[in-house]
Amino acid sequence: MGSAVDLSVSLGTFSLANPVLAASGTFGYGLEFTPFVDLNRIGGFCTKGLSLKPRMGNPAPRVVETAAGMLNSIGLENVGFDRFRDEKLPHLQMYDCRVVCNFFGDTVAEYEEMARALSTLDRVDALEMNISCPNVEEGGVQFSADPKTVEKVVSAARRATDKFLVVKLSPNVTDITVTAKAAEAAGADAVSLVNTYVGMVLDAERAVPYLGNGNGTGGLSGPAIKPIALNMVYQTSQAVSIPVIGLGGIRTAEDAIEYIMAGASAIQVGTANFFDPRATMNILDGLTDWCRDHDIDKIESLRGRAWKQ
Ligand SMILES: Cc1cc2nc3c(=O)[nH]c(=O)nc-3n(C[C@H](O)[C@H](O)[C@H](O)COP(=O)(O)O)c2cc1C
């Protein structure tokens, strides 16, 4: 038997037992996955995006399968801050993994308030700001669309929290390194990327958009997006000094290794949880096997390796 592989990773002040996190919106509040996943083994998970008040989300249909992926328009349905604190978080006390609270707001002030509220919760290890949301004060343009708005909203959250603050970037921009740098300048501790790509599916028989949200668009995720997302993770890890968390289409341990080699300090598994609820565990086991097979003692030594030969 070979020696144990060290899968631990550190993202500045934030350490993880291993680099495998479940992505927001694909893993509920963690508890839903306990029949399939040992929450003491994975590095952690990101909660469904939380807002101050509960949200009902968009009318159905809210998801549709596409070639090697899916399109969703959930509309940020969530239980809201109070119910998360009172009904979900207490049950997470018995597990070891990191709890990362994904959150959003309609205004800069709401992001700030949410960051402050989440900071009061001891069991919450880190915050992940989803900035791919409409800014109601700017006519519904996404916060992530403009680096100045990114700086404004991230600075506001930064003022409100001492917790490790991850900013989750939208890939629906001309150059993602510009928004990554804006988040870094505003005090983000790390960036995570990517969120979903805007797309559309039409129902040709009825000549209408498939999704029920009114405008017909949704967010594309899954294996279909992996090469594009991987390139963005590579570009971003060259552009910023803070850690990068990579995601987009990760399905296997090899996918995760590619992201780490492109510069990611940790990875997230999203859509794969829908077609294999044990995906995070399988990827974790696969990482150990991969490292063993390749004589790697410490997974961190692979970070950025694709450009270090
Ligand atoms: C059904 C669904 C719901 C999602 N909800 C959120 C969310 O609430 N907040 C967020 O930041 N990202 C959300 N995402 C985006 C994922 O976390 C992830 O960034 C994206 O799906 C790309 O990763 P993947 O290809 O591994 O799924 C959601 C994705 C899906 C498929």
Side-chain angles (χ1 to χ4, degrees):
M1 221 179 84
S3 56
V5 178
D6 181 358
L7 290 182
S8 66
V9 291
S10 65
L11 287 71
T13 56
F14 186 56
S15 60
L16 292 169
N18 61 69
V20 181
L21 300 162
S24 176
T26 68
F27 208 72
Y29 303 97
L31 302 164
E32 296 87 338
F33 273 72
T34 54
F36 314 104
V37 175
D38 182 355
L39 293 185
N40 296 311
R41 284 197 61 216
I42 59 171
F45 70 89
C46 303
T47 64
K48 175 64 192 162
L50 291 162
S51 49
L52 284 168
K53 297 274 171 272
R55 295 247 185 154
M56 295 294 287
N58 288 332
R62 310 204 289 188
V63 292
V64 55
E65 195 170 335
T66 61
M70 66 186 269
L71 198 70
N72 89 81
S73 175
I74 304 295
L76 296 165
E77 176 181 350
N78 77 99
V79 296
F81 176 80
D82 289 347
R83 282 187 59 200
F84 173 71
R85 178 196 54 206
D86 300 340
E87 295 172 24
K88 310 289 180 191
L89 207 53
H91 300 287
L92 292 167
Q93 295 292 352
M94 69 180 90
Y95 299 105
D96 275 345
C97 74
R98 298 293 205 168
V99 176
V100 180
C101 272
N102 183 287
F103 73 99
F104 67 94
D106 287 334
T107 62
V108 171
E110 270 183 35
Y111 273 94
E112 184 171 348
E113 206 178 334
M114 203 51 198
R116 185 164 296 116
L118 290 167
S119 298
T120 62
L121 308 176
D122 288 342
R123 182 64 186 90
V124 173
D125 298 298
L127 308 185
E128 181 179 61
M129 284 177 78
N130 174 7
I131 57 170
S132 309
C133 304
N135 179 349
V136 297
E137 289 167 330
E138 300 288 342
V141 179
Q142 287 190 0
F143 287 92
S144 54
D146 166 30
K148 285 202 174 60
T149 316
V150 172
E151 272 205 61
K152 206 165 148 191
V153 72
V154 175
S155 301
R158 178 73 288 171
R159 276 195 301 276
T161 186
D162 291 329
K163 295 225 192 249
F164 191 80
L165 182 63
V166 182
V167 176
K168 184 163 179 185
L169 303 176
S170 166
N172 302 304
V173 289
T174 310
D175 181 355
I176 200 163
T177 66
V178 173
T179 30
K181 285 187 203 152
E184 181 179 38
D189 293 311
V191 285
S192 56
L193 62 144
V194 296
N195 212 315
T196 54
Y197 291 80
V198 176
M200 180 181 274
V201 171
L202 297 182
D203 179 343
E205 290 307 317
R206 294 190 301 131
V208 290
Y210 188 90
L211 294 175
N213 65 356
N215 70 14
T217 64
L220 183 67
S221 62
I225 70 171
K226 200 194 97 189
I228 327 173
L230 186 69
N231 178 47
M232 288 187 162
V233 166
Y234 167 64
Q235 301 292 340
T236 303
S237 54
Q238 302 295 304
V240 296
S241 311
I242 51 177
V244 172
I245 300 172
L247 73 154
I250 297 179
R251 181 178 62 86
T252 64
E254 285 76 11
D255 293 333
I257 294 281
E258 283 184 51
Y259 271 91
I260 295 169
M261 286 184 168
S265 297
I267 59 96
Q268 294 182 9
V269 181
T271 298
N273 294 308
F274 291 118
F275 54 80
D276 175 10
R278 293 178 214 276
T280 46
M281 299 281 282
N282 293 339
I283 289 168
L284 180 54
D285 291 338
L287 286 180
T288 303
D289 293 344
W290 197 95
C291 288
R292 251 189 218 133
D293 291 348
H294 294 80
D295 287 327
I296 303 293
D297 306 329
K298 187 156 175 55
I299 200 160
E300 280 200 322
S301 68
L302 293 175
R303 190 184 304 151
R305 182 174 281 201
W307 284 268
K308 284 183 190 157
Q309 318 274 333

